[in-house]
Amino acid sequence: MASPTIPSSADNADTLQSKLSFIHRYYLLLKAHYFLFFAAYGAFYPILSITLRSRGLSDTEISYLNIGIPFLIFFTNPLMNYIADLSRRYKLTFNCVYFIAAIACASILVAPSVKSGNIQATMTHDTKLGHILDLCASQELATKCASRAKCGCTYQANCSFDDVLNRGYNNQMEPFLFNFSMKSENIREETNDINGVTKQQACGIKYKVLIDNDIKQYRENPSFNRSLSRVRSSRLVVCGITCSEANNCRGPRNSDQTPFIVLYAVLFVVGTSLLTNAIPLGGAICFASIHRVDIYGQQRVWGTIGFGIVAYTTSLLYNYFHSIYVYFIMFCITSGACIITTCFIRIQPDKKKRRSTVDEIIIQKNDNLNHGKTKKNRSQSKILAILPLLKKVDVIVFFSLTIIWGMSYAVLNPYLYLYIDEIAPCDSHSVIGIMSLVSAVSEVIALFFAARFLKLLGTNLSSVIILLAFSVRFGGYYFIREPYFLACMETMHFFNFGILLVLILQKADSIAPPGLSGTLQSVSMGLCFGLGCGIGLIVSLFIYKSLEHRLLFLIFAIFNLICAIIYGIYFLISRKNSNKSIEHNTSNIIVESDTKSNEEPLLVSSIENKSDNQIDK
């Protein structure tokens, strides 16, 4: 009988090398998944607000659409993750959600514009001012096309002579067309009093535009002067005002355009909410595929790299082709590649089945002693374990901070991009592309050094720095007038997202009861990017519409500075009190040698509680 073959060390090494190669290949798929997903995000999200504006939606309508999204995400995010956890089909759930989101987002980029009628004006003659265009329109009329003059936008008037006696237009007198300017020295503005007038009559501002120089070529024409002499009214000519670039001179909307507005609202809500829901679903795929949770950041960082590269590259292509289809094509390519790549990611066999958590093991042991417990009661007791945390001052302060950070994020989108489109209308895509690239690079660096940064400074001091970074960032948006220099402020994204994200996850994990770390992390992220962002959008809308647009950034810069001072004072007081408590209770509290003095006692106590509840192996 042949003796059994004993594997040699060389065979073991080959087997190990084969397994490592297999694992490395699937990790490359994870990196590609994140790269392609956030690349599609970068080809769509930065220019979403200015695309909606170019399609004919007003700033108020865009703001209203953005307000509802965070509150919707606050509820749909847990629902989508629950469905994925329940079915254990992470890839299928992600691809279904992302496919619907991609169709909605791509449709926004190519959907038809909301059509509006021409602004109606009359040409009259004043003995002192000369020929005048008398019209009524919104304040945007004098700014939108004028700011885009370098892009080739011009104001145009298509006029016809008005024969009052015949109660109509005299077709024997040929219409004429001329360009005019809306310079401050050429216009007279008068706010329209809407009291006692109908909604159609209350159009905003009454403009009187001096046009003698603009119609000089016609005034020198004898036939034109003869036509003027035949008109027997001070209302000489009726004109339709347009702009050479669409949606910059909008009159009343056509009555049949309501379905298009509803279409944009549906596409926006479905697309942006599901696209955001796909982010944690991608995280679930990653955690179900990797062998160690500590290497998650090495996969996720490729998403930030993809976002920055594609956002910047697409802006360069747009400047070359001057077509929104550049964004559409880039988004479709990256989205399709992301869905295909996700299909080939391998979920580990041992993670396809639900594994017991520490709490479930404890409950199982208790069930052997007491069979009266039901699964429903166990689930409820598990969730109710979070409620005692709300009695702790430190936890309340932490949740309040997450809401404040979320409110600050609401200013960045959509109001920052709308503001850039106002101060640099001809270069807005380039500016936004460069800013996206700088913020992505800052975020990548932060994700690599966040753990060391938090270990060195502690969560309290880091929280103060994050608030100060928001203050510096918004202050820069207010004081810097050169659009391209605004990219310097995006370096604050190192603190405002990279450090902030890791801090929220670590802090939630440190204060969570055993087995509820993921739940509390989801709650914290929901408070920040859901509830906090929604509140911030409501406040920003009020400021943006009531005051000068640029003042929005100054107000939030002061707001974050005040919050940093208040939290700094609270941090110093709590640190002093915790030191006194340690001095009086040294016999009951064990202080680790590497515990930082600037960490609140809540972190120490929560960690101790977790260790006390560990199961002996």
Side-chain angles (χ1 to χ4, degrees), residues 456-470:
L456 178 65
L457 299 180
T459 56
N460 284 310
L461 186 56
S462 298
S463 299
V464 175
I465 293 175
I466 290 171
L467 291 170
L468 292 176
F470 269 121

Side-chain angles (χ1 to χ4, degrees), residues 327-396:
Y327 289 93
F328 174 78
I329 294 172
M330 188 68 76
F331 177 78
C332 291
I333 291 175
T334 50
S335 295
C338 176
I339 292 175
I340 294 173
T341 303
T342 304
C343 294
F344 292 97
I345 295 176
R346 180 176 178 270
I347 305 295
Q348 293 190 56
D350 59 327
K351 294 187 178 182
K352 290 182 179 179
K353 296 182 179 180
R354 189 184 303 274
R355 295 184 297 174
S356 298
T357 62
V358 174
D359 273 2
E360 289 171 345
I361 296 173
I362 295 174
I363 292 173
Q364 184 66 32
K365 288 185 177 182
N366 291 337
D367 282 348
N368 295 332
L369 300 176
N370 186 3
H371 298 285
K373 300 283 185 178
T374 63
K375 290 184 178 180
K376 183 177 180 180
N377 290 335
R378 292 196 300 264
S379 177
Q380 290 178 348
S381 63
K382 186 176 178 180
I383 297 298
L384 293 176
I386 295 178
L387 297 181
L389 293 176
L390 300 179
K391 299 179 182 179
K392 297 179 178 292
V393 177
D394 290 339
V395 176
I396 295 174

Side-chain angles (χ1 to χ4, degrees), residues 207-309:
Y207 292 95
K208 295 184 181 295
V209 185
L210 311 183
I211 57 171
D212 266 349
N213 293 331
D214 300 311
I215 62 172
K216 185 178 181 181
Q217 56 177 336
Y218 293 106
R219 291 194 297 111
E220 294 175 352
N221 189 338
S223 61
F224 180 80
N225 291 325
R226 285 195 299 269
S227 298
L228 289 180
S229 63
R230 294 172 187 171
V231 180
R232 305 179 183 181
S233 170
S234 60
R235 188 186 181 197
L236 302 180
V237 181
V238 176
C239 303
I241 307 301
T242 59
C243 285
S244 58
E245 291 188 1
N247 296 312
N248 289 325
C249 299
R250 287 201 310 265
R253 280 179 179 158
N254 298 343
S255 58
D256 59 346
Q257 296 301 296
T258 302
F260 290 100
I261 300 175
V262 175
L263 173 65
Y264 272 109
V266 173
L267 292 176
F268 181 87
V269 171
V270 173
T272 54
S273 60
L274 291 183
L275 192 64
T276 308
N277 290 152
I279 295 177
L281 289 174
I285 293 174
C286 182
F287 280 112
S289 304
I290 58 180
H291 292 72
R292 302 196 324 269
V293 296
D294 59 325
I295 63 173
Y296 165 73
Q298 299 175 18
Q299 324 306 318
R300 170 61 179 83
V301 73
W302 284 93
T304 304
I305 295 173
F307 179 90
I309 292 176

Side-chain angles (χ1 to χ4, degrees), residues 52 112 254 379 401 495 508-509 616:
L52 292 174
N254 298 343
S379 177
L401 267 180
F495 304 101
D509 177 72
D616 297 331

